[in-house]
Amino acid sequence: MATSFSLQGMILASGLALGVCLTGCGSADVATPETPAEEATEVAAEAQAENQGKKKVLTTFTVLADMAQNVAGDRLEVVSVTRIGAEIHGYEPTPSDLVKAQDADLLLYNGMNLERWFDQFLGNLRDVPSVILTEGIEPIPIASGPYTDKPNPHAWMSPRNALVYVENIRKAFVELDPDNADDYNANAAAYSKQLRAIDAQLAADLDQVPATQRFLVSCEGAFSYLARDYGLKEIYMWPINAEQQFTPKQVQTVIEKVKINDVPTIFCESTVSDEGQKQVAQSTGARFGGNLYVDSLSTQEGPVPTFLDLLEYDARVIANGLLAGSRSQ
């Protein structure tokens, strides 16, 4: 059964708890070492002080937050609703997400049926403007399954589409904070230059893959836009990560397509189990080229702490996997 909650009630409860602590926890006359909780509170207070006076931008997931932060520089506070590693398609917002969003000045979201939870989330906020970042991108309709004819939402996975996201973010920030428009314009230009470099390198690498081997096989159909832009054909288990486990029929369908097209290398994504694809590899003799990143960045210690890292990492894994597979044949 779904749990309902009241934002006002949560804020009131938090205030009461703070009041009890302030009045009931007496201060000692001697200094005591800081606990980890106290240190965390101090760090949060320092971050809040650093962002004092900045407008707050809320994004629906970490990839958009990183794009937005690169355009914002130090002029805006940028926060992601979902956390690192979260599966964003069926995400369920928490009470803390609503509290985090309540003082936002702008909401940025992907659209194209990605954040199916977002309409309800928006209903809990008042008078906060929102911007859809895929405006201007030609959608690719999903060909089969429960989302047939709905747009594939993974437009950010093509570096060329990412340029459209950046331009939409730039325009939104200039409108939100015109006093710092020059900074947003300059930041967007510099960031776009980096995206164009990734685009050029990926195109050059994939040009070396023989035309008969230009198949991108993944667990989720998250690479439709990348495939369209770089002349690849796409095969996947499911179009959107809506299920939790692969079905035998889905696995068998991919096995048959990989065999028919003599695909040398297959991949999966970091947020779902790769067991189905490993079954495909075992049954077909194709190499398993590894996991790709799509819906979420990694921690700073991981391989893709930024969106540029994500694009470069995936491009390298895909190009190296396809080239290695084609040479071995």
Side-chain angles (χ1 to χ4, degrees):
M1 182 173 64
T3 302
S4 61
F5 47 82
S6 163
L7 179 60
Q8 290 80 6
M10 287 185 295
I11 296 174
L12 178 59
S14 299
L16 290 173
L18 179 61
V20 169
C21 181
L22 291 174
T23 58
C25 303
S27 59
D29 294 332
V30 294
T32 58
E34 284 187 340
T35 66
E38 289 171 333
E39 291 176 356
T41 301
E42 185 174 322
V43 169
E46 290 175 356
Q48 185 176 6
E50 182 181 343
N51 290 319
Q52 193 73 28
K54 295 181 182 178
K55 292 182 182 295
K56 182 175 180 180
V57 177
L58 191 73
T59 71
T60 48
F61 61 109
T62 56
V63 168
L64 300 188
D66 188 67
M67 284 192 211
Q69 191 66 72
N70 275 275
V71 179
D74 61 358
R75 296 299 187 182
L76 301 168
E77 178 189 2
V78 180
V79 178
S80 170
V81 176
T82 59
R83 296 170 292 281
I84 286 173
E87 213 304 300
I88 58 177
H89 296 277
Y91 184 75
E92 296 183 4
T94 65
S96 62
D97 291 333
L98 279 176
V99 173
K100 179 168 53 178
Q102 193 60 24
D103 59 345
D105 297 288
L106 177 67
L107 301 177
L108 301 179
Y109 67 108
N110 186 80
M112 289 189 174
N113 203 42
L114 176 70
E115 306 100 335
R116 297 190 297 273
W117 47 272
F118 194 59
D119 287 342
Q120 182 178 356
F121 186 81
L122 277 176
N124 289 284
L125 304 175
R126 296 180 179 177
D127 303 324
V128 180
S130 61
V131 172
I132 181 171
L133 296 182
T134 51
E135 184 69 35
I137 293 174
E138 181 183 353
I140 296 176
I142 293 171
S144 62
Y147 303 103
T148 298
D149 294 333
K150 293 186 180 298
N152 187 309
H154 304 96
W156 69 90
M157 289 306 301
S158 168
R160 296 174 190 176
N161 280 347
L163 293 168
V164 178
Y165 281 73
V166 172
E167 174 59 14
N168 287 334
I169 292 169
R170 183 198 66 79
K171 290 190 293 187
F173 287 177
V174 168
E175 183 174 348
L176 174 70
D177 181 26
D179 290 345
N180 291 307
D182 289 346
D183 288 335
Y184 304 137
N185 293 335
N187 292 342
Y191 194 54
S192 295
K193 183 177 180 179
Q194 292 177 287
L195 288 169
R196 291 190 183 95
I198 294 173
D199 166 39
Q201 186 63 56
L202 177 58
D205 289 343
L206 290 177
D207 278 346
Q208 301 177 54
V209 180
T212 57
Q213 301 298 325
R214 298 173 69 85
F215 284 87
L216 180 51
V217 182
S218 57
C219 294
E220 181 185 20
F223 299 93
S224 297
Y225 296 91
L226 187 147
R228 179 175 71 183
D229 288 346
Y230 299 92
L232 300 173
K233 297 178 182 178
E234 192 180 23
I235 299 172
Y236 47 78
M237 292 278 187
W238 52 44
I240 292 179
N241 287 339
E243 299 104 321
Q244 296 300 313
Q245 294 182 339
F246 301 112
T247 66
K249 182 178 179 181
Q250 288 170 328
V251 174
Q252 187 58 39
T253 298
V254 174
I255 287 174
E256 291 171 0
K257 290 181 178 180
V258 168
K259 285 182 175 179
I260 290 171
N261 295 286
D262 199 20
V263 177
T265 307
I266 62 177
F267 308 92
C268 196
E269 291 77 49
S270 64
T271 54
V272 298
S273 170
D274 58 17
E275 288 305 311
Q277 289 294 60
K278 288 181 177 178
Q279 291 179 39
V280 174
Q282 185 175 12
S283 298
T284 63
R287 296 171 62 254
F288 180 69
N291 290 316
L292 305 171
Y293 286 81
V294 176
D295 295 336
S296 174
L297 302 180
S298 69
T299 63
Q300 287 298 319
E301 294 73 28
V304 295
T306 73
F307 177 56
L308 292 177
D309 291 328
L310 182 152
L311 290 178
E312 289 180 329
Y313 178 92
D314 283 359
R316 183 170 61 251
V317 170
I318 292 169
N320 288 347
L322 294 182
L323 286 168
S326 63
R327 288 168 185 156
S328 66
Q329 294 192 340

